[in-house]
Amino acid sequence: MALCTFFHLSIKEFVETKCRWADYYYGAKVLALTEKKNFDCGLWENGCSAYEARPIQCSTYPFWSWMLEDKQTWDDCAKDCPGMNSGRLWSFEEIEKNKKAYDDNIPLKKEEVEELIRLEENKIN
């Protein structure tokens, strides 16, 4: 949990202060970063406040598989992101690598996080 290390927080402290539980498939709950009232990421402060430790979802943006499906989807997403369609040109290989990393990323389920917290607390005590 790179973000815990970055913020010098235990897993429990990080989850309690910077995360929420989000609904996922089949009734599962998964860990998600909190959002601000305008739906910006809770870590966004005129830029990512944890850029060096950002999660896969953030580091692979905007090369998410569903955004790459067609030009219309890409252009619709680009309306809300000033960084899309500007900056350096990414190679096909780089885009595919990011797409695969995004697709392979599986969010942490509540039970998994609770187990990580238990393990961390046992290690401390």
Side-chain angles (χ1 to χ4, degrees), residues 50-67:
Y51 187 82
E52 299 82 15
R54 67 196 188 281
I56 294 291
Q57 182 177 358
C58 302
S59 66
T60 59
Y61 185 85
F63 305 120
W64 300 350
S65 49
W66 66 270
M67 292 175 76

Side-chain angles (χ1 to χ4, degrees), residues 7-25:
F7 286 107
H8 307 289
L9 296 171
S10 69
I11 296 170
K12 183 177 182 180
E13 291 169 324
F14 182 79
V15 169
E16 289 175 348
T17 60
K18 306 222 181 269
C19 298
R20 67 178 178 85
W21 297 109
D23 292 327
Y24 199 58
Y25 297 110

